[in-house]
Amino acid sequence: MATRVRPRNKRCAVIGGSGFLGRHLVEKLLDRGYSVSVFDICPSCEVPGVTFHRGDLCDKQALLSALKDVSLVFHCASPAPGSDNRSLFERVNIQGTRTVIEACIEVGVQRLVLTSSASVVFEGTDIKNGSEDLPYAKKPIDYYTKTKIEQEKLVLNACDKEKGFLTVAIRPHGIFGPRDPQLVPILVDTARRGKMKFIIGDGTNLVDFTFVENVVHGHILAAERLRPDSPICGKPYHITNDEPVRFWDFMSEVLVGLGYDPPRYHLPYILVYGLALLLWLLAVILRPLVSFKPTFTPMRVALAGTHHYYSCERAKQDMGYKPLVSLKEGIACTVQSYPHLQKGD
Ligand SMILES: NC(=O)C1=CN([C@@H]2O[C@H](COP(=O)(O)OP(=O)(O)OC[C@H]3O[C@@H](n4cnc5c(N)ncnc54)[C@H](O)[C@@H]3O)[C@@H](O)[C@H]2O)C=CC1
Ligand SMILES: CC(C)CCC[C@@H](C)[C@H]1CC[C@H]2C3=C(CC[C@]12C)[C@@]1(C)CCC(=O)C[C@@H]1CC3
């Protein structure tokens, strides 16, 4: 069978395409008629029709050969936020992103879409309907976020209309959906260990959880609107479900959907945060002797006990963004996709 040669603007690469978001993005791009290459350090992207390049994004030579003939690059690779390997975050998110930009420019890539994070402005205190005008966090909640800030700055500053290299950053928040390795599995693991009985704070704090297909939609809209005359060049955009929800209602709905009891008893936020901080300090001090990873890290407690939801008005205005899947539909689809995490299995 003859292979169809696609125009260059329909040839793209997804760096981090084996991951949770990356793989959903790859599947949608194929549906939309793109030819897709995946570049990832992990070889698990077995999507038919995709050219897979295994490599580390810090390796420029490997990137140069993977990005040859590609006009559009999505960069959604990152070490997992739960890792406490600072030098890995630094190497991949900062130095590696610099290498991605250099490689894109060298091979003539025209558009680069970065997956950033809404958390780049979060300092652990309430954010209600935050816009993209909020300043970057001076005290980011963890080292992962610190390097996401630097990464976003690098990509947005590299936007150069004269050189024909256009960039944009998408800032999702709390991505969930089928195959998510993080949110639902951590929640279920906590419930299975009998630790999901307590609500931190009064339980009224509103948060954004964003269904993965909406995040993918935001990325593709951004890529397709990224032209020299577009207002989106060199800018960050929040992409959310546009339905802030009580953190504990969301967690309860997922837990109940999977057959677990929802948390019932309230604990003061400041008490849990203090305990989490203490445990985290202990884990650091005792690391040479014993290794343990507390479930309730200060970062998770801050995310579970404060308001953090963001406006996506700018994405609506500048790129015609609108969530395609409601929170209710997203939760139903997610719960259904995890039969092995149902209680009793
Ligand atoms: N999951 C979430 O709630 C949110 C995620 N994000 C961002 O979205 C992006 C995707 O996240 P997920 O899909 O959740 O993570 P993931 O861990 O499922 O996927 C990340 C992918 O990057 C790859 N990767 C890591 N280091 C690499 C390297 N040195 N070279 C090549 N590939 C490498 C991994 O192998 C993995 O396939 C990340 O940039 C993350 O910071 C932003 C906001 C929220
Ligand atoms: C044990 C429970 C109190 C909490 C379980 C759920 C959490 C694992 C998740 C709730 C909010 C999530 C979140 C992220 C990771 C998973 C949660 C902490 C991110 C840190 C992922 C990377 C980002 O860029 C920001 C996300 C914010 C929300």
Side-chain angles (χ1 to χ4, degrees):
M1 199 174 65
T3 37
R4 221 168 82 210
V5 180
R6 291 196 177 68
R8 192 161 189 240
N9 67 353
K10 278 274 182 182
R11 278 182 260 154
C12 67
V14 180
I15 304 176
S18 299
F20 164 48
L21 171 65
R23 184 146 170 213
H24 281 276
L25 179 59
V26 166
E27 288 166 355
K28 183 55 82 184
L29 288 165
L30 289 172
D31 278 358
R32 289 179 64 86
Y34 283 83
S35 87
V36 185
S37 299
V38 164
F39 183 91
D40 203 296
I41 202 161
C42 166
S44 70
C45 188
E46 280 158 19
V47 181
V50 166
T51 312
F52 182 75
H53 302 263
R54 187 173 184 182
D56 184 338
L57 61 81
C58 303
D59 175 352
K60 191 154 162 199
Q61 286 314 313
L63 272 177
L64 288 175
S65 75
L67 302 185
K68 209 165 21 102
D69 297 331
V70 160
S71 80
L72 164 63
V73 170
F74 295 92
H75 174 8
C76 53
S78 167
S83 153
D84 49 13
N85 189 338
R86 286 182 170 217
S87 62
L88 183 68
F89 284 132
E90 178 107 23
R91 194 178 73 81
V92 177
N93 287 349
I94 304 181
Q95 291 163 32
T97 297
R98 234 178 244 131
T99 310
V100 168
I101 294 168
E102 285 168 13
C104 283
I105 294 174
E106 262 180 65
V107 295
V109 165
Q110 288 141 7
R111 291 168 292 160
L112 172 62
V113 180
L114 170 74
T115 315
S116 179
S117 168
S119 293
V120 295
V121 297
F122 184 60
E123 293 192 334
T125 52
D126 293 343
I127 292 185
K128 299 179 182 176
N129 211 31
S131 83
E132 289 86 347
D133 291 335
L134 286 173
Y136 287 114
K138 286 201 181 67
K139 290 185 189 154
I141 49 168
D142 55 15
Y143 207 73
Y144 157 80
T145 314
K146 187 173 164 26
T147 59
K148 291 295 286 183
I149 295 175
E150 294 312 313
Q151 177 190 54
E152 186 184 282
K153 287 183 184 167
L154 283 171
V155 169
L156 296 182
N157 288 336
C159 187
D160 189 336
K161 292 185 188 175
E162 248 108 78
K163 286 195 186 138
F165 182 59
L166 306 179
T167 66
V168 64
I170 298 299
R171 293 179 176 174
H173 196 53
I175 312 175
F176 73 100
R179 303 192 299 252
D180 150 43
Q182 206 176 201
L183 200 155
V184 176
I186 292 177
L187 184 63
V188 168
D189 180 58
T190 313
R192 284 185 171 163
R193 289 187 292 121
K195 289 187 177 175
M196 233 21 231
K197 294 193 170 37
F198 299 101
I199 292 170
I200 301 171
D202 66 5
T204 60
N205 56 308
L206 294 175
V207 167
D208 279 318
F209 286 103
T210 313
F211 189 60
V212 63
E213 284 182 24
N214 294 329
V215 180
V216 164
H217 180 52
H219 279 72
I220 296 179
L221 277 178
E224 294 181 350
R225 299 286 186 288
L226 201 50
R227 288 185 293 260
D229 57 348
S230 158
I232 77 169
C233 295
K235 294 221 188 104
Y237 284 90
H238 295 152
I239 290 294
T240 72
N241 243 73
D242 206 19
E243 288 177 85
V245 57
R246 287 181 172 193
F247 181 93
W248 295 98
D249 286 355
F250 179 88
M251 293 297 152
S252 297
E253 204 168 327
V254 174
L255 285 171
V256 170
L258 291 167
Y260 301 87
D261 290 334
R264 276 181 213 290
Y265 312 107
H266 290 263
L267 284 176
Y269 174 77
I270 203 73
L271 173 79
V272 187
Y273 190 82
L275 282 175
L277 210 57
L278 209 68
L279 263 180
W280 175 79
L281 268 174
L282 264 180
V284 173
I285 294 166
L286 297 179
R287 196 174 290 158
L289 305 170
V290 271
S291 147
F292 70 97
K293 263 194 146 184
T295 310
F296 291 89
T297 60
M299 180 272 268
R300 282 187 196 157
V301 175
L303 289 168
T306 58
H307 293 274
H308 43 100
Y309 60 96
Y310 300 85
S311 163
C312 56
E313 271 319 299
R314 197 168 291 173
K316 289 182 186 167
Q317 261 176 31
D318 291 356
M319 42 170 133
Y321 171 73
K322 190 164 122 255
L324 300 176
V325 183
S326 72
L327 205 57
K328 201 167 183 53
E329 292 165 329
I331 294 174
C333 165
T334 306
V335 164
Q336 223 184 23
S337 74
Y338 284 104
H340 60 290
L341 293 184
Q342 286 278 348
K343 192 169 182 185
D345 277 352

